[in-house]
Amino acid sequence: MTPSAILESALYVTDLHAAEAFYRDILGLEPLGKVEGRHVFFRCGEGVLLLFNAEATKIPPAPDARLKVPPHGTVGEGHLCFAASADEIAEWRRHLAAKNIAIESEFEWPQGGRSIYIRDPSGNSIEFAEPRIWGL
């Protein structure tokens, strides 16, 4: 057996309100679900982006919890990459500049394809890259 796709990806944030505003208002993702103080979820194409308050996800579920999601979380800056064509990367550059979001790094990969990197309000590294950087 081999997994066919990644269904969801998670980032851990320090300020859920700031993260929600960034991913909704700056990146344009559609909110999918929210539990105040714990998480906010967004639809992204065929997948889901999960943003968690890391401290809240370390708490084990109650014995009588309906959803017994095990504790998880991480500390520090994570990374997530969104797929974007060369034309979309150019549009993202313009859009991010208009929103006063600094591009931290931009380059062409040796195997071909471009990437740009920004930071979210919690310091997570967010990349926009052409899928061909992975031969896709």
Side-chain angles (χ1 to χ4, degrees):
M1 294 292 301
T2 301
S4 62
I6 294 173
L7 177 62
E8 57 189 39
S9 296
L11 288 174
Y12 297 86
V13 300
T14 55
D15 182 333
L16 273 175
H17 292 290
E20 180 179 11
F22 179 83
Y23 286 91
R24 182 192 61 226
D25 301 339
I26 303 294
L27 300 190
L29 295 180
E30 174 190 340
L32 188 58
K34 178 179 178 177
V35 170
E36 195 64 42
R38 186 179 189 280
H39 66 254
V40 60
F41 299 159
F42 291 93
R43 182 168 312 286
C44 183
E46 296 293 315
V48 177
L49 173 59
L50 312 173
L51 300 179
F52 288 106
N53 170 342
E55 291 304 312
T57 61
K58 291 178 184 177
I59 301 167
D64 62 344
R66 186 175 62 86
L67 301 173
K68 295 186 186 290
V69 177
H72 56 85
T74 188
V75 176
E77 299 165 346
H79 172 71
L80 183 71
C81 181
F82 293 106
S85 69
D87 290 342
E88 289 169 332
I89 289 173
E91 286 297 316
W92 276 113
R93 289 183 91 257
R94 286 189 283 279
H95 174 74
L96 294 166
K99 299 285 188 178
N100 295 314
I101 304 296
I103 293 176
E104 182 177 34
S105 184
E106 177 176 6
F107 56 89
E108 178 102 16
W109 289 90
Q111 68 273 25
R114 294 194 66 75
S115 284
I116 60 173
Y117 291 81
I118 62 173
R119 294 282 170 173
D120 76 4
S122 294
N124 290 303
S125 175
I126 306 302
E127 179 183 7
F128 296 85
E130 293 179 77
R132 65 188 178 125
I133 69 170
W134 291 106
L136 303 175

